[in-house]
Each structure stands twice: as structure tokens, then as C-alpha cells.
Amino acid sequence: MTSNTLKLVLVSTPIGHIGSGRGGGVELTITSLIKGLTALGHEVTLVAPEGSEITSNCSQIQVSYVSGKDQESWQHKDYDSDITIPNGGILPKLWERALELGKYADAILNFGYDWLPIWLTERVNLEIYHLISMGNVSAAMHSIVKQISLENQHRLAFHTYRQASDFELNEKPIVVGNGFDLDNYKLQLNKNGSLGWAGRIAPEKGLEDAVKVASALKDKLVVWGLIEDSKYAESIEASVSPGTIDWRGFLPTKQLQKELGACRALINTPKWNEAYGNVVVEAMACGVPVVAYDRGGPGELITSGLTGWLVPPDDINELINATSKVNKIDRRNCRIWVEESASKEKFTNRIVEWISNGIRAKTT
Ligand code: UDP
């Protein structure tokens, strides 16, 4: 660490390459953080699966590509599943590379929600930090997080307090929120657009409830996102009259924000303890109020009555009521909240403070 700048190795998720959509919100988090770090003069090396596309200015960072079989996401396995790595898996390869490059860096920052990197924390003489990207979806993860928290909780950070409350921690959690490159999101003030929903099309995201709202209001629901579970998507499509859902697929941020910003509301219906909820903040960055279940991260991101409405989890009638009064929200409030709380600059400062404090604590 030279004065205030850090030399960091960032390790991407082993679930899919950046740009594939399989890594969910983590892909965007890494991209905005890289932009925020390099703007402040920090030195960044990214270790990522081959095929990863980094949209920020690549010339300012080193990218070390690794190839291998994708790791299966923990949230799609049974809670008590064993820790497994496929033959030729990318996870240990990412970490072989990261441990090598980490010898010449101040710290390694892990974005993968996986057991191996967390287990390594206390077994190598390097500063490894973990930004935990999901709640308690696996017994193995719950147990390793608990173990690290006993002696080294400063190596762990979370996106929201609600997410952190899923784990058994020894101390008060470090919560860093998330960050977005706000140059990429334009405020749109028109209040008469469609209803929207965005996210991975998978059961934990609860798309079926948002569809019920659109049906009840005799409206259409525009849906963006990667279809992770096609049987689930088909069953939702079959449950409503044709044309209720307008499937738009997985769009790059630039196009997504343009279409998302034209909505009168985003409906967010998590069925799990959502760690953060990128799409909630991306919608608000465009001025779109969000109507959401008061569950997980979205419950901490939305100020009911100011930037959208929070309703009791799984209460469809309340979701319908709240959606019908969304025009009471001043769209500018949504953008202001994001500028004040979730810009890439604010997020980067929180990350730098977290890691710098950790390094300082070791050397003093
Ligand atoms: N996303 C996207 N294009 C789409 C729909 C979604 O790039 O058409 C991205 C979105 O920008 C967000 C991510 O998918 O960063 C979803 O992240 P979120 O935190 O909402 O949920 P996760 O998938 O991490 O559970």
C-alpha cells in the first residue's frame, strides 16, 4: 500500500463469465468497482473466466483470464449439499492464479460465493477479503462464514444488514451496499409507461407474483432477464392470457436502462433473502419507483412512500394496491436516493475503507 492507493487482485465469480448474466448482480458490481477504483488511482488486476467482457476502460487494468468448467451456484443446490468442484472446474484455477498474483498485491478481493476461497482465508499468508453476495443458501457456506467471523470477521463484508442477518456472526457486520456507474442511467420522468420486472428468471425471484399484479390490473408486464429455469418460465407464461408478459430477454446495461426507465413502476418480488437487489437500484437510477416485498435487501433500499412502496412479503393484494398508487411517487426522489447512497464513487470509498482498515489493523 503506497500512501492511499491499493494494489488489488479482484477474483470474479466461478459461476459464469462476466457478461453471461449467469453471475447475476455480481457481474455489474465488479464492473462498477473496477471503474471506481481505477478512477482513484488504485492498481487493479482482475482474475476472471475466459470470455469475460469488461466494459470499463480496460487499458487501466490487467485482466488474467482463466478457463475451466463453471461452478454450479449454491442457490440451485439443496441447502445441505456437499461441497463439490467439477473435474476441470474453474474455481481452483481462479484461485491458483489469484494466490500467485496476490503475492505482489496488498489484498485479494473475492466476489465468488463459494466455500474454497473463504476456507483459504486463514490458510495462506495473504490478505483475502470477501464480499459475500448471497444470504444463507447453504449449510457449508453458513458454517465457513461463522468460522471466519470468530477471528477474522473484518475480512468479510455484506451488501445489506438483512443479508448479513442470515449468518451467525461474531461482531456487527461490515455493510458496504453496492455501487452503480450513474453515467449509464438516465432519469426519465414520464409516469405513463408499462409495469416492469427484471432479474434472473428463477423461482427465488418470484416473477409469478408480479405477473398476477399485471393480470389483476388488466395490464402488461415487461420482463427483462436471463431465463435460468425454462420450465419455470413456461409455467408462468401458461398461467396468464397470452400477451400479458412481454419477454424482452437479457439486455446489456445501456439498452436495459433505456427500456427500464420508460416504466411507470418496477415490481420486485423476492422469495428469498435477496442480498441486495441491483435491479431495484438500477430502476430507481432511471427514476422508476419500485413496488417490492419487504424482504431482504430491497426492504433496505426502498423508502416506502418516497421512492416506491414496500408491502408485506407474499401479500399479492397489497402488491396490487401499492402498484396502483405508484403515480404518487416523485420520480426524482428515486434518482436522488441512488446518487446519495449507491453511486460507484460512494461504493468504491466504502470498499477501500474496509480493506485499508483491515490491512492497517494487521500492520499496527
Ligand atoms: N440484468 C441485465 N440485463 C437484463 C436483466 C438483468 O444486465 O436484461 C442484470 C442487472 O443489471 C443486474 C443483474 O442482472 O445487475 C441482476 O442482479 P440482481 O442483484 O438484481 O439479482 P441476482 O441475479 O444477483 O440475484
Side-chain angles (χ1 to χ4, degrees):
M1 193 161 60
T2 57
S3 62
N4 293 325
T5 56
L6 293 171
K7 205 168 172 186
L8 294 174
V9 174
L10 271 44
V11 190
S12 191
T13 168
I15 306 298
H17 65 260
I18 299 174
S20 69
R22 292 196 298 281
V26 173
E27 297 181 21
L28 197 65
T29 304
I30 295 176
T31 312
S32 5
L33 184 64
I34 288 174
K35 219 168 172 187
L37 287 168
T38 51
L40 293 176
H42 299 287
E43 229 179 280
V44 178
T45 303
L46 172 71
V47 182
E50 208 148 50
S52 291
E53 296 154 20
I54 317 298
T55 45
S56 64
N57 193 345
C58 247
S59 61
Q60 292 183 41
I61 62 160
Q62 302 282 330
V63 188
S64 187
Y65 294 104
V66 174
S67 59
K69 250 191 216 154
D70 287 350
Q71 188 74 15
E72 191 190 347
S73 173
W74 277 102
Q75 101 245 30
H76 297 138
K77 300 204 251 187
D78 290 340
Y79 182 76
D80 289 312
S81 294
D82 289 339
I83 299 155
T84 53
I85 296 173
N87 189 13
I90 195 161
L91 178 65
K93 296 187 180 184
L94 287 168
W95 280 90
E96 253 168 32
R97 186 73 55 84
L99 294 179
E100 191 50 41
L101 293 166
K103 290 178 192 159
Y104 312 99
D106 295 309
I108 301 177
L109 175 53
N110 167 41
F111 290 87
Y113 182 100
D114 228 302
W115 180 88
L116 177 69
I118 304 187
W119 180 80
L120 284 171
T121 317
E122 292 173 333
R123 283 163 183 84
V124 294
N125 192 20
L126 294 170
E127 295 277 305
I128 307 181
Y129 292 75
H130 309 273
L131 179 51
I132 308 290
S133 60
M134 289 193 276
N136 174 19
V137 298
S138 127
M141 285 299 287
H142 186 268
S143 145
I144 193 77
V145 164
K146 181 179 171 188
Q147 192 181 313
I148 297 300
S149 108
L150 290 176
E151 300 276 336
N152 287 296
Q153 200 183 302
H154 64 285
R155 300 291 187 89
L156 308 171
F158 301 84
H159 287 294
T160 59
Y161 287 98
R162 294 218 183 164
Q163 173 206 6
S165 72
D166 252 10
F167 295 96
E168 229 178 295
L169 301 172
N170 200 35
E171 293 166 22
K172 200 170 162 274
I174 295 169
V175 171
V176 293
N178 214 340
F180 299 81
D181 185 353
L182 296 183
D183 294 344
N184 291 339
Y185 301 86
K186 196 166 165 279
L187 172 65
Q188 295 189 42
L189 293 174
N190 176 22
K191 286 184 159 189
N192 302 318
S194 312
L195 295 174
W197 187 97
R200 287 177 292 105
I201 321 287
E204 68 270 19
K205 296 291 188 174
L207 170 61
E208 64 277 21
D209 289 9
V211 170
K212 283 181 192 150
V213 173
S215 270
L217 296 175
K218 304 210 175 342
D219 212 326
K220 191 176 83 169
L221 184 72
V222 184
V223 173
W224 297 272
L226 184 82
I227 298 188
E228 252 184 7
D229 184 333
S230 50
K231 283 212 174 86
Y232 168 71
E234 281 159 22
S235 75
I236 297 176
E237 174 62 36
S239 72
V240 281
S241 28
T244 305
I245 309 175
D246 178 355
W247 301 95
R248 299 272 173 96
F250 182 79
L251 302 184
T253 302
K254 209 172 158 192
Q255 212 179 327
L256 174 68
Q257 69 82 33
K258 198 170 168 196
E259 298 189 13
L260 197 56
C263 288
R264 74 173 188 280
L266 181 87
I267 305 178
N268 190 256
T269 44
K271 294 283 172 183
W272 65 335
N273 185 6
E274 184 82 54
Y276 187 79
N278 279 9
V279 295
V280 168
V281 178
E282 293 179 86
M284 293 201 291
C286 304
V288 178
V290 185
V291 183
Y293 287 147
D294 190 359
R295 171 184 276 146
E300 250 170 82
L301 306 173
I302 298 157
T303 314
S304 205
L306 189 73
T307 57
W309 300 103
L310 288 171
V311 307
D314 308 320
D315 190 333
I316 303 271
N317 288 333
E318 280 302 314
L319 202 58
I320 296 167
N321 286 340
T323 305
S324 41
K325 58 179 184 182
V326 85
N327 60 357
K328 293 196 173 144
I329 304 293
D330 181 342
R331 293 172 72 99
R332 278 168 295 214
N333 291 339
C334 302
R335 174 76 187 195
I336 291 168
W337 183 90
V338 180
E339 284 171 0
E340 287 173 354
S341 319
S343 66
K344 70 173 187 306
E345 291 79 9
K346 300 248 158 114
F347 176 58
T348 303
N349 287 338
R350 293 189 289 260
I351 293 281
V352 169
E353 192 189 350
W354 161 43
I355 295 177
S356 304
N357 284 345
I359 295 172
R360 235 175 270 126
K362 192 191 173 195
T363 50
T364 51

